[in-house]
Amino acid sequence: MEHVPPPAEELARLDRELAELDARRAQLLTRRAWLLAALRPPVPAAGPGWNPSAWGAPPGGRPGAPAQPWGYVPKQPSAPRGAQNVLLTLGGLLLTVAAIAFTLVSWGSMGIGGRSAVLSVVTLGALIAPAVLLRRGLASTAEALAALALVLTLLDAYAVHAVAVPDTDGLGFTAAASAVLAALWTAYGLALGRLRLPLPAAVVLAQWPLLFWAWAAGAPALVVGWALLATAVLDGAIALWGKGTGVRVTACVGGSVMAFSALMVGLTLSTTASGPLGAVAPGGLLLAAAVAAGAGAWRAPKGFARAGGAVAGLAGVAAVGGVPAAAVPEGWRVLAYLLCGLAAAVVVRSRLPRNAAHGVLAASGAVVAGSLMWALPPVAAVLLGPVTILSDVWAGSPEGFRSALGSTLPWTELAAAPVVLALVAGLLGAAYRWWPSLVRLAAPLTVREETPGADAAGTPGAAWTAPGAGAPWYATGGVGARRRPSGAAVRGAAGAGATALGWGALLVAGAVLDVPYALAVVAETLLVAALLALAVRAPGSGRDGSGALAVTALVGAVGGAVSAGLLSLASEGAAYGVFGALTVLFAGAAVRARSAVPTAVFAVAAVVWGTALTGLAGRSLELAPHEAAPLLLLVPALTVLLGARLRRDPVALPVELTGALGALVAVGLAVSDAPFLALVLALCGVLAAGAAVRPERRTVAGCLAAALFVLAAWVRLAASEVSIPEAYTLPVTVPALVVGFLRRRKDPEASSWTAYGPGLAATLLPSLAVAWTDPDWQRPLLLGVAALAITLLGARYRLQALLLLGGAVLALDGLHELAPYVVQVAGALPRWLPPALAGLLLLVVGATYEQRLRDARRLRDTLGRMR
């Protein structure tokens, strides 16, 4: 049922769309005016004193250059500063090296007064010089000397510690020195605002005071985490209100590193806490980090706001969930974090800015995804574990479900896995069921989205409305607008996820509870039946997203059927029950399905399970594989009959091809015994001949039937060690040629391959096979004469089958007779002669390639015109 919005809401939506259309029209008109100006011919050059810009015309450019919009003033190229920057960089580097060498090497040779004087004069001069240089416009030189001054202040701090206070703790002195230097360089950077280095350097120096102070004091890890968090908060404040891009970028990088370190400290302490009380203090650290990230996201730009919201959401989940997680067994801790992650989704109704709320929702989704990743390995173990039963089929029913899986997973520690899967499946199912209500709840986050295509007045270049609210959920408007998935697609994904996770929850619950083997087999079969019912009832495509639900149910039914079939192979009775039930269930689903693709999949699966059922019958009868091969042809025979019933239905071809694969399996089982192989090939020929009765299968199935009959005859003759096959093949060949001749008289357009091909092949090919091993000369001679006669008849009456079959047999028979002499001649020739002849032949063919190509095409056309 389609949702109809209230009149007020629909009117507001129409007004928004009209405003977007007006903005798009203005954008296109502006672009059109620019294109018209670009397509105007260039203004011819005029004499001195001519000023095109005075008349409003665009100034001329270089020949071939695209025209610029009117009013465009090209920027004058600035003087290259590459050489100057290189020289300044090298000079500053040399001075820095000299200062380091002086401090480390020559410092001890001077007295205390000399040391103080040198340090004071050099450092003070390096600090004062940039101010003088800036007044003279030498900004690059000032930057180089400021870098030198920065290094000198660091060396001063090292020198003070080495000489003045050598007994002071190094970490504590470093903390104090970095704080003093950070304040000094902050003041210096604010005083000389044109310098770009001091303020970022101050930000870098500000990263260390609290950390080194905590380290020097021997503080516990929690205090170190608080120091890291306080530093990250300071960096965030600088990133929001700092002066200059360099300062903000440096603060962002430093804050990210410090915040990540603080979160890792808090998370490690929280997850390793010995009890709920031990997790409270790390939780406080994580909660403070969440509040700080949320406060930063409140004022940050779009991308940073989303990142801050995500960090706040993850830190809040870790803080709140860590306390109950420490109170439950290890296998249930993931459930505590999952519940907190789901609770974070209430942000959709909060007063947070939209971008920050999007980040919190992303964090909630990340927690849910992580929980599912933890719970999915048991599902894979349940589905793939029964493969181990193939090594010992019908060995007897195991005691429980786990022993049938053969998995080494710690099932007792995975007790929460089915609960996690069921909880997420229930939420997704509720979202699918009550989708319109969910859309209304999330409306504050989905009503409007501004994109970078907004104009100067703030009019967005694209907007999208809430899914399911009567309008499409995708961006429209400016170039580069981002497309978003439709509401039906999201709803369908929710339904599909609910189906898959609910199915997985039931499977894992059986393994965790270690239910009896019989109950596990029955439960898996019933789950397959439920998935089939869902796949049949859900339409293949729908505006409510039911298409994804149907596909998921279909895939789950097929996968579950394979798993249930493998699981049932531990017991003979269970195997017959499961494979019989699967055959009936998939056949019924194929009858009830309403679209072609699911119907074909169901029908093919029913044929596969039926074929497996006949294979089980052969094992029950204690038949050898080659003896059980004819039983496997029962299902292919049924597919031939079903294909005759379906005729040109799209399902007919997949069903018949699946039956043909079953027949191929039967042939493979019978290969070890020649008489059974001949029988199976003959039966397959009968089935192919039955399919050839239908006009749409006559060409392919008829040729296949003839080939199978001939092959069956050859195998039978070889199995009987017949040395004169002509005695058995000629009685078949003669009537077949007579029938073919009558067919050609009745229908002159019939192919010679259909009329004469099977009859000739029935004798010529077995005789050729025997002639190659016959030491006498009579059979090769008679075969060659017969092949020559057939070839001449084919050429005379333009019959392709006679010409090609007779020519091929004649050539092979002649090669057999000449082979000994060819070997003798080859042995008598010099070793260099065959390669030389081959090379000469290639040269001749290459030189006359075009002629040979035309000859080959004429031969192909001639053969193509034959019947």
Side-chain angles (χ1 to χ4, degrees):
M1 183 174 181
E2 187 174 357
H3 172 68
V4 179
E9 181 180 351
E10 186 175 3
L11 179 60
R13 186 183 305 119
L14 290 177
D15 291 339
R16 286 196 301 270
E17 293 181 357
L18 289 174
E20 293 160 9
L21 290 176
D22 291 340
R24 179 60 175 164
R25 185 173 184 274
Q27 179 184 3
L28 293 177
L29 288 175
T30 304
R31 180 65 178 173
R32 181 178 181 274
W34 187 90
L35 291 173
L36 289 176
L39 292 175
R40 287 193 180 96
V43 179
W50 173 256
N51 185 9
S53 59
W55 296 86
R62 59 179 175 84
Q68 300 293 343
W70 288 10
Y72 173 79
V73 180
K75 184 178 179 180
Q76 296 297 329
S78 58
R81 294 180 175 267
Q84 178 186 6
N85 292 332
V86 170
L87 293 176
L88 292 173
T89 303
L90 290 176
L93 181 61
L94 291 175
L95 288 176
T96 303
V97 171
I100 294 174
F102 170 76
T103 304
L104 297 179
V105 179
S106 301
W107 182 262
S109 62
M110 300 178 65
I112 187 64
R115 298 171 187 175
S116 302
V118 169
L119 275 175
S120 301
V121 171
V122 174
T123 304
L124 187 61
L127 290 173
I128 295 175
V132 178
L133 293 172
L134 287 176
R135 293 194 190 97
R136 297 177 178 272
L138 302 176
S140 298
T141 308
E143 290 286 352
L145 288 179
L148 176 62
L150 175 62
V151 176
L152 287 174
T153 54
L154 297 177
L155 293 175
D156 289 343
Y158 165 76
V160 168
H161 179 264
V163 176
V165 286
D167 298 330
T168 306
D169 179 55
L171 293 175
F173 182 84
T174 303
S178 57
V180 171
L181 290 176
L184 170 65
W185 281 98
T186 300
Y188 187 76
L190 294 176
L192 301 179
R194 294 173 59 186
L195 290 179
R196 292 174 294 179
L197 178 64
L199 290 179
V203 173
V204 174
L205 291 170
Q207 307 301 309
W208 311 113
L210 292 178
L211 178 61
F212 281 117
W213 168 80
W215 194 359
L222 184 61
V223 176
V224 175
W226 279 105
L228 292 169
L229 180 59
T231 305
V233 171
L234 176 62
D235 289 330
I238 295 173
L240 288 175
W241 295 291
K243 179 182 178 182
T245 305
V247 174
R248 294 187 176 187
V249 170
T250 306
C252 284
V253 174
S256 300
V257 174
M258 293 297 175
F260 178 78
S261 302
L263 290 174
M264 289 298 101
V265 171
L267 184 61
T268 303
L269 294 176
S270 177
T271 54
T272 58
S274 58
L277 293 178
V280 172
L285 173 62
L286 293 171
L287 195 60
V291 172
W298 198 284
R299 297 182 57 88
K302 178 178 179 180
F304 291 98
R306 291 188 176 183
V311 172
L314 292 174
V317 170
V320 179
V323 176
V328 298
E330 185 175 356
W332 291 88
R333 291 185 176 182
V334 66
L335 185 60
Y337 290 108
L338 175 62
L339 293 175
C340 294
L342 293 174
V346 299
V347 73
V348 298
R349 302 301 296 177
S350 68
R351 304 179 67 87
L352 275 177
R354 182 177 296 109
N355 292 321
H358 285 167
V360 176
L361 285 179
S364 175
V367 173
V368 174
S371 303
L372 292 179
M373 292 298 293
W374 175 83
L376 287 181
V379 180
V382 172
L383 290 176
L384 302 178
V387 174
T388 57
I389 300 177
L390 291 174
S391 60
D392 197 5
V393 178
W394 292 356
S397 300
E399 296 180 359
F401 191 16
R402 295 183 193 173
S403 58
L405 297 177
S407 176
T408 58
L409 288 178
W411 293 104
T412 55
E413 299 179 6
L414 297 172
V419 180
V420 170
L421 294 171
L423 179 60
V424 180
L427 293 175
L428 291 177
Y432 178 79
R433 174 65 180 82
W434 292 288
W435 181 254
S437 301
L438 180 62
V439 170
R440 285 194 293 271
L441 287 175
L445 297 182
T446 57
V447 170
R448 192 176 183 86
E449 170 81 5
E450 292 188 1
T451 65
D455 57 18
T459 303
W464 54 279
T465 57
W473 187 11
Y474 57 85
T476 59
V479 179
R482 298 171 299 167
R483 292 193 173 273
R484 299 182 179 270
S486 66
V490 177
R491 183 181 185 183
T499 302
L501 294 178
W503 171 53
L506 293 175
L507 292 177
V508 178
V512 170
L513 298 175
D514 197 16
V515 298
Y517 170 75
L519 179 59
V521 172
V522 173
E524 287 205 21
T525 307
L526 291 178
L527 284 176
V528 172
L531 289 173
L532 285 175
L534 183 60
V536 169
R537 293 185 60 185
S541 61
R543 297 181 61 183
D544 58 349
S546 56
L549 179 62
V551 172
T552 304
L554 174 61
V555 174
V558 174
V562 174
S563 179
L566 293 174
L567 184 65
S568 68
L569 292 178
S571 171
E572 182 177 2
Y576 275 108
V578 170
F579 279 97
L582 292 178
T583 304
V584 174
L585 287 174
F586 277 89
V591 174
R592 297 296 301 275
R594 288 173 284 181
S595 56
V597 175
T599 302
V601 173
F602 294 144
V604 167
V607 172
V608 172
W609 309 138
T611 304
L613 197 60
T614 57
L616 295 178
R619 183 177 177 85
S620 296
L621 295 175
E622 298 182 355
L623 300 176
H626 64 273
E627 295 174 339
L631 284 176
L632 294 180
L633 296 178
L634 292 176
V635 175
L638 293 177
T639 60
V640 171
L641 297 176
L642 184 61
R645 171 109 179 146
L646 295 175
R647 310 278 310 169
R648 297 185 181 275
D649 192 280
V651 182
L653 182 59
V655 169
E656 291 180 88
L657 290 177
T658 308
L661 290 177
L664 186 60
V665 173
V667 172
L669 292 176
V671 167
S672 59
D673 189 272
F676 269 93
L677 179 60
L679 174 62
V680 172
L681 289 173
L683 293 176
C684 292
V686 172
L687 296 179
V693 174
R694 298 158 53 194
E696 65 274 10
R697 301 282 187 266
R698 181 164 299 163
T699 302
V700 177
C703 296
L704 181 60
L708 288 172
F709 282 133
V710 172
L711 187 58
W714 295 348
V715 174
R716 181 68 260 185
L717 292 176
S720 301
E721 299 181 355
V722 174
S723 58
I724 307 177
E726 293 82 6
Y728 299 91
T729 58
L730 282 175
V732 177
T733 295
V734 174
L737 293 177
V738 172
V739 171
F741 177 74
L742 296 176
R743 167 76 184 278
R744 289 273 299 173
R745 288 190 61 182
K746 184 178 179 180
D747 182 14
E749 297 298 325
S751 172
S752 61
W753 288 101
T754 305
Y756 303 120
L760 291 174
T763 296
L764 290 178
L765 298 183
S767 298
L768 179 63
V770 176
W772 268 77
T773 59
D774 193 349
D776 296 329
W777 58 272
Q778 293 88 355
R779 177 178 279 108
L781 177 61
L782 294 175
L783 179 62
V785 172
L788 178 61
I790 292 171
T791 304
L792 294 176
L793 288 174
R796 170 66 178 81
Y797 294 103
R798 305 180 63 80
L799 298 175
Q800 190 180 97
L802 275 66
L803 180 62
L804 295 181
L805 274 176
V809 172
L810 180 61
L812 292 175
D813 186 63
L815 179 61
H816 170 264
E817 293 303 308
L818 293 176
Y821 304 104
V822 172
V823 172
Q824 293 178 4
V825 172
L829 291 175
R831 293 184 179 272
W832 57 267
L833 189 57
L837 293 176
L840 182 61
L841 177 62
L842 291 176
L843 288 176
V844 172
V845 172
T848 60
Y849 175 76
E850 295 296 334
Q851 181 61 36
R852 301 288 78 77
L853 191 60
R854 286 193 293 269
D855 295 341
R857 288 171 178 168
R858 280 198 297 270
L859 178 61
R860 182 196 61 188
D861 296 339
T862 302
L863 290 175
R865 287 193 293 270
M866 293 183 176
R867 297 303 302 170

